[in-house]
Amino acid sequence: MTPFDRLPIGMNLARTAKLVAQAFDAALVEVGGTLPVWVTLLSVKSKELANQRELAGMIGIQGATLTHHLNAMEAQGLLTRRRDPQNRRVHQVALTETGEALFEKLRLEAVAFDKRLRAGLPDDRLAEFAEVLAALRANVGG
């Protein structure tokens, strides 16, 4: 038993989530990305063409933070933004060929990381864990 195991569940969960997120980000950096870039690419890819406001909500960040990420990603040639013809105040976001290629590299690494993370854990325990996580989210209103 480690000292973390004796922490209240909320603190233990927060610490574990932080460690897993750091390890995941490090794995993505190894193949040319970062966690914010991956989440942004994944969010855009899953919605063909998303506007910035929807994208910020899907990622769970503020609009100004998203704008910073999108500016950098656009400068790297990973995505394009254009004004919505129906509403000139809204920008639509789409991946470029370069963005699609990076998405695929990061997707493969995300799948490999998930496999390493699940190593040695039987499917029934993982299913139970998913249920516990869902219950914890429900308990905090999420």
Side-chain angles (χ1 to χ4, degrees):
M1 184 174 258
T2 71
F4 292 113
D5 297 326
R6 291 188 283 276
L7 292 173
I9 192 161
M11 291 177 65
N12 195 342
L13 180 62
R15 179 68 180 140
T16 301
K18 183 176 181 178
L19 289 171
V20 171
Q22 288 171 339
F24 186 39
D25 189 52
L28 294 174
V29 166
E30 288 288 321
V31 295
T34 62
L35 188 53
V37 167
W38 166 242
V39 173
T40 302
L41 293 175
L42 180 61
S43 296
V44 172
K45 179 80 171 169
S46 69
K47 245 194 141 182
E48 284 300 313
L49 203 60
N51 71 53
Q52 285 186 215
R53 187 174 315 130
E54 291 172 343
L55 189 54
M58 289 185 341
I59 296 171
I61 60 176
Q62 299 296 316
T65 303
L66 176 64
T67 298
H68 172 76
H69 288 305
L70 292 178
N71 287 343
M73 292 173 73
E74 190 171 30
Q76 295 168 353
L78 299 174
L79 53 83
T80 60
R81 290 182 287 180
R82 64 180 177 84
R83 298 240 183 241
D84 184 333
Q86 309 300 317
N87 182 350
R88 302 280 300 152
R89 293 176 292 165
V90 173
H91 285 91
Q92 295 178 323
V93 183
L95 299 185
T96 63
E97 280 188 40
T98 304
E100 292 278 357
L102 182 58
F103 170 83
E104 187 58 24
K105 281 176 61 175
L106 296 178
R107 185 189 69 76
L108 291 172
E109 183 54 38
V111 168
F113 181 85
D114 190 62
K115 186 176 181 180
R116 290 189 304 272
L117 191 61
R118 294 167 173 256
L121 298 170
D123 289 344
D124 60 331
R125 289 198 62 208
L126 290 169
E128 184 178 355
F129 180 62
E131 291 173 11
V132 170
L133 289 175
L136 291 172
R137 283 191 305 275
N139 287 347
V140 295

